[in-house]
């Protein structure tokens, strides 16, 4: 839960300027130490992404829809912060795709490049060891204005792109 969105709202002018000028944006954050399950829920970028989506009204794409991606999709849909038709999940597993499509009514695909080409906000929701391969699949297909969001833990940015 975001108790005060002042910093998010204040960043909107910069984000919109960058988007309007065809810049790629990579947002990263460390929201606190994760010691318990409650810490994990309270210190998740999920809350930030939901608020940004609401403020920017954009197409949201998830590359990866496992535990992390699926939880974020569920949170966004259940909180009505984005319409299901504005959310696209890309996953190699047909079972995972069909489950999300049935459960949330979102668009699904197995084509990361196709999904990335539609993204205004893209969540790279794969395990860190998958980042380089996923990034290689999407990097030439992103809109110049796409916002890319990663959950970062001890990961060097040069290992991704």
């Amino acid at each position: 839960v975001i108790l005060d969105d002042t910093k998010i709202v204040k960043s909107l002018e910069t984000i919109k300027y960058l988007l309007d000028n065809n810049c790629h944006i990579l947002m990263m954050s460390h929201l606190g130490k994760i010691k318990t399950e409650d810490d994990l829920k309270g210190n998740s970028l999920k809350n930030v992404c939901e608020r940004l989506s609401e403020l920017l009204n954009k197409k949201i794409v998830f590359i990866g829809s496992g535990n992390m991606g699926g939880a974020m999709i569920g949170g966004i849909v259940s909180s009505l912060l984005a319409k299901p038709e504005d959310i696209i999940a890309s996953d190699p597993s047909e079972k995972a795709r069909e489950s999300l499509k049935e459960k949330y009514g979102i668009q699904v695909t197995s084509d990361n490049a196709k999904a990335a080409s539609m993204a205004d906000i893209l969540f790279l929701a794969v395990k860190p060891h998958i980042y380089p391969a996923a990034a290689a699949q999407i990097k030439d297909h992103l809109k110049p204005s796409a916002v890319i969001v990663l959950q970062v833990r001890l990961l060097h940015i040069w290992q991704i792109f």
Side-chain angles (χ1 to χ4, degrees):
V1 174
I2 296 175
L3 300 176
D4 180 357
D5 71 353
T6 302
K7 290 181 181 179
I8 295 171
V9 171
K10 286 191 179 271
S11 70
L12 283 178
E13 183 179 341
T14 301
I15 292 170
K16 286 179 181 178
Y17 173 83
L18 293 169
L19 293 173
D20 290 344
N21 287 282
N22 297 322
C23 296
H24 287 285
I25 303 170
L26 177 62
M27 300 173 71
M28 297 184 292
S29 180
H30 174 70
L31 299 174
K33 285 191 173 186
I34 307 298
K35 293 181 181 177
T36 67
E37 283 296 314
D38 287 339
D39 290 342
L40 184 60
K41 292 175 190 169
N43 293 312
S44 169
L45 285 176
K46 172 183 170 248
N47 302 321
V48 176
C49 80
E50 289 172 350
R51 185 65 178 134
L52 272 175
S53 170
E54 176 184 310
L55 295 168
L56 294 170
N57 192 26
K58 301 288 185 178
K59 205 55 114 173
I60 302 169
V61 171
F62 289 85
I63 303 298
S65 62
N67 293 335
M68 181 172 56
M72 287 191 282
I73 291 166
I76 291 170
V77 171
S78 67
S79 63
L80 305 175
L81 292 175
K83 296 176 286 192
E85 57 268 21
D86 289 336
I87 301 172
I88 303 159
S90 180
D91 198 284
S93 166
E94 184 175 354
K95 183 177 178 182
R97 291 191 310 269
E98 290 307 314
S99 174
L100 286 169
K101 184 177 181 178
E102 183 178 313
K103 188 171 185 178
Y104 300 117
I106 65 170
Q107 299 177 61
V108 295
T109 182
S110 61
D111 186 340
N112 288 345
K114 179 181 175 184
S117 72
M118 295 183 275
D120 294 305
I121 302 171
L122 183 137
F123 289 89
L124 197 54
V126 297
K127 294 186 187 323
H129 71 279
I130 306 289
Y131 282 179
Q137 292 172 351
I138 67 173
K139 69 179 181 177
D140 295 328
H141 302 279
L142 293 165
K143 293 178 184 177
S145 60
V147 176
I148 303 166
V149 182
L150 306 169
Q151 182 86 24
V152 179
R153 289 196 185 117
L154 299 176
L155 180 67
H156 298 288
I157 197 66
W158 59 84
Q159 291 176 312
I160 301 171
F161 292 99

